[in-house]
Amino acid sequence: PVRQIRLASYIYEHESRQVGWESFLKLDSPPNRGLPEAHLWIAEHALANDTTHRLSRSQITAHLQNAVESPEVAARAHVLLGYLHIQHGEKQLAERHFRSAVSSDLKHTDDLILALAHTGRVHSHEKCVELRLAQLKSALTQRPENIPLRIRFAVLLTALGELFEAENTIDEGR
């Protein structure tokens, strides 16, 4: 299956987007229904702004629901489901998916914060948020010249309402 995914991806990127798309759709049809990576790829590309391959929300959701069955791609699929639900005003479903992603990989705390902090459903005292902020602060201490990391940290702090600390983080980089 990994080889099939790589081949379809190569075809899409280097030869023909249409043939590559069709290759991924074939990976989604019997007997390949168990390829979560193909489901994730199809959903990601259907959600992309520049794609000519549009799917309905229910089709994208179905692909992502199939992808969450695989530990290798579940976190990314949960994040995409979270954003899909946010777009449709379904904050509780979105939160559930973001929190599932965070339980798989702490870096997805960033998505949780950015998508839900303004709703009052995410706070800086939550364990996953504390851990992620400590992780970013540690990385920034090791690489203070890393401007994208500094900005990311400041943006997360701002989303959490920690404006003074966000401003200090930016000022320290000058």
Side-chain angles (χ1 to χ4, degrees):
V2 173
R3 203 169 93 197
Q4 292 170 306
I5 297 281
R6 286 185 184 154
L7 178 59
S9 184
Y10 180 85
I11 291 169
Y12 184 86
E13 294 296 327
H14 300 289
E15 293 181 12
S16 165
R17 288 184 177 254
Q18 184 60 39
V19 174
W21 177 258
E22 291 167 7
S23 298
F24 272 100
L25 291 178
K26 286 178 188 171
L27 293 174
D28 176 39
S29 60
N32 298 309
R33 285 207 92 50
L35 294 179
E37 296 85 356
H39 287 290
L40 181 64
W41 189 96
I42 290 167
E44 286 178 325
H45 283 76
L47 289 168
N49 290 331
D50 65 343
T51 186
T52 56
H53 309 293
R54 295 279 179 213
L55 297 177
S56 69
R57 178 183 179 211
S58 62
Q59 289 172 310
I60 293 169
T61 300
H63 281 291
L64 292 171
Q65 291 292 354
N66 284 321
V68 298
E69 302 301 319
S70 169
E72 292 84 22
V73 296
R76 180 73 181 134
H78 277 297
V79 166
L80 292 176
L81 281 164
Y83 282 117
L84 205 55
H85 288 300
I86 283 286
Q87 288 176 348
H88 291 88
E90 300 161 340
K91 292 177 182 139
Q92 289 179 329
L93 279 172
E95 182 178 357
R96 207 173 312 146
H97 283 291
F98 285 123
R99 291 195 184 279
S100 291
V102 168
S103 70
S104 295
D105 189 341
L106 193 60
K107 75 178 180 186
H108 293 299
T109 304
D110 298 11
D111 296 296
L112 175 71
I113 292 169
L114 294 174
L116 295 171
H118 71 284
T119 66
R121 300 181 72 84
V122 180
H123 304 282
S124 58
H125 65 272
E126 286 185 50
K127 189 68 170 170
C128 66
V129 174
E130 287 177 351
L131 289 171
R132 180 62 177 156
L133 294 178
Q135 188 180 59
L136 291 171
K137 194 171 200 167
S138 173
L140 199 51
T141 300
Q142 294 171 12
R143 299 184 324 256
E145 75 289 347
N146 187 330
I147 301 302
L149 178 62
R150 184 171 298 285
I151 291 170
R152 179 129 194 103
F153 186 49
V155 166
L156 295 175
L157 290 168
T158 301
L160 290 165
E162 306 288 341
L163 302 179
F164 182 74
E165 191 174 348
E167 188 175 339
N168 284 342
T169 298
I170 295 297
D171 287 344
E172 290 168 5
R174 292 184 182 163

